């Protein structure tokens, strides 16, 4: 399933955040979306996931038109996302959070009990996979920042997305967890999930990505494998402002 945009445009008042962005991510791979602050990366994620409507342009996933569709429609099409500022319910336990990610409010009470048990088991499975099962009964607000990010990812995985957008997965996490996040992304990718990652940590980007798209002023200026991007003068220019 290929995620593409064509001519994507979004302005906030006089500020043009996306300026006709034509992007194609490589399905089945770890894609990164990088670029200087203010180059439109978050706005791009918000448009693609239906949080905001673009002014113009098209978003397609596996050939299906997702332009301007609501977040739950995008999620149902198989595109999941995490947020830069990590969205979890602070007063719910970890396992409740994972369940809530697929059922708003975490209300599994309405489900037949066999199905409910299966869902709870699946939630524990993801917590185990992400190494936070020992915190299943802990309220999210008592977990560390990095653990909360893993919890948010567990919720995203619960919906079984084919494509996962990660907004700064390394932001604010300690080096040990950073390694774990890198390994997790590669492992989850090896199982067939496509990733698109917005990330400032260039070591992480260069080590886990297969394909990098570079944004500057609301549109891509370069795309290719890490070795090519690292050597691209336009990329250096965008970052250094020369
Ligand atoms: P990045 O994620 O690459 O840092 P953003 O998408 O956050 O870039 O921002 C792109 C541009 O759009 C910036 O100039 C930013 O100030 C502006 N912008 C983003 N969101 C809003 C908003 N809700 N209201 C006004 N301006 C915004």
């Amino acid at each position: 399933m290929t995620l593409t945009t064509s001519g994507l445009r979004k302005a906030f008042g006089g500020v043009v955040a996306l300026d006709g962005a034509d992007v194609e991510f490589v399905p089945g791979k770890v894609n990164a979306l990088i670029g200087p602050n203010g180059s439109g990366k978050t706005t791009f994620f918000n448009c693609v996931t239906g949080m905001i409507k673009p002014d113009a342009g098209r978003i397609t996933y596996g050939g299906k038109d997702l332009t301007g569709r609501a977040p739950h429609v995008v999620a149902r099409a198989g595109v999941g996302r995490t947020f830069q500022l990590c969205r979890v319910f602070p007063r719910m336990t970890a396992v409740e959070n994972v369940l809530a990610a697929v059922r708003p409010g975490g209300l599994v009470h309405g489900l037949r009990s066999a199905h409910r048990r299966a869902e709870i088991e699946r939630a524990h499975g993801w917590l185990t996979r992400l190494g936070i099962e020992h915190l299943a009964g802990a309220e999210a607000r008592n977990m560390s920042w990095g653990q909360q990010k893993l919890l948010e990812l567990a919720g995203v995985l619960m919906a079984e997305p084919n494509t996962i957008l990660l907004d700064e997965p390394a932001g604010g996490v300690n080096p040990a967890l950073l390694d774990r996040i890198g390994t997790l992304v590669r492992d989850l990718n090896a199982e067939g999930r496509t990733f698109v990652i917005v990330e400032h940590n260039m070591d992480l980007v260069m080590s886990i990505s297969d394909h990098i798209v570079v944004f500057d002023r609301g549109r891509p200026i370069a795309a290719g494998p890490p070795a090519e991007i690292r050597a691209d003068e336009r990329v250096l220019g965008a970052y250094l402002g020369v």
Side-chain angles (χ1 to χ4, degrees), residues 40-51:
K41 306 180 297 294
T42 302
T43 304
F44 181 85
F45 263 22
N46 286 340
C47 283
V48 167
T49 53
M51 317 283 304

Side-chain angles (χ1 to χ4, degrees), residues 128-189:
T128 302
R129 180 80 196 271
L130 299 198
I132 48 173
E133 168 62 10
H134 60 293
L135 298 166
E139 288 186 8
R141 64 183 169 144
N142 295 326
M143 296 167 68
S144 74
W145 174 245
Q147 288 164 341
Q148 289 187 35
K149 291 187 97 147
L150 290 170
L151 178 60
E152 186 191 29
L153 179 57
V156 170
L157 288 162
M158 188 75 180
E160 303 287 353
N162 298 113
T163 294
I164 302 175
L165 277 49
L166 301 179
D167 199 346
E168 297 200 21
V173 308
N174 66 50
L177 196 53
L178 205 74
D179 276 355
R180 202 154 108 209
I181 288 172
T183 308
L184 256 174
V185 168
R186 293 291 350 170
D187 289 351
L188 292 165
N189 168 250

Side-chain angles (χ1 to χ4, degrees), residues 32-184:
L33 176 57
I34 65 170
N37 274 333
S39 57
K41 306 180 297 294
T42 302
T43 304
F44 181 85
F45 263 22
N46 286 340
C47 283
V48 167
T49 53
M51 317 283 304
I52 58 177
K53 284 191 200 310
D55 300 332
R58 247 165 80 85
I59 301 160
T60 63
Y61 183 59
K64 189 176 172 189
D65 192 344
L66 289 182
T67 317
R69 304 305 302 273
H72 71 273
V73 176
V74 177
R76 211 178 296 141
V79 180
R81 96 171 267 191
T82 65
F83 291 86
Q84 195 177 342
L85 292 177
C86 189
R87 294 193 177 177
V88 293
F89 298 104
R91 288 177 186 275
M92 277 165 52
T93 66
V95 74
E96 285 167 351
N97 261 284
V98 179
L99 290 164
V102 281
R103 250 161 234 293
L107 303 174
V108 279
H109 308 297
L111 299 175
R112 278 181 304 107
S113 66
H115 185 196
R116 184 180 162 191
R117 269 199 304 276
E119 285 293 273
I120 292 171
E121 224 162 87
R122 216 159 60 78
H124 281 288
W126 282 118
L127 291 174
T128 302
R129 180 80 196 271
L130 299 198
I132 48 173
E133 168 62 10
H134 60 293
L135 298 166
E139 288 186 8
R141 64 183 169 144
N142 295 326
M143 296 167 68
S144 74
W145 174 245
Q147 288 164 341
Q148 289 187 35
K149 291 187 97 147
L150 290 170
L151 178 60
E152 186 191 29
L153 179 57
V156 170
L157 288 162
M158 188 75 180
E160 303 287 353
N162 298 113
T163 294
I164 302 175
L165 277 49
L166 301 179
D167 199 346
E168 297 200 21
V173 308
N174 66 50
L177 196 53
L178 205 74
D179 276 355
R180 202 154 108 209
I181 288 172
T183 308
L184 256 174

Side-chain angles (χ1 to χ4, degrees), residues 3-21:
L3 178 61
T4 64
T5 68
S6 61
L8 206 61
R9 192 187 143 82
K10 178 72 192 177
F12 298 101
V15 179
V16 178
L18 291 175
D19 191 12

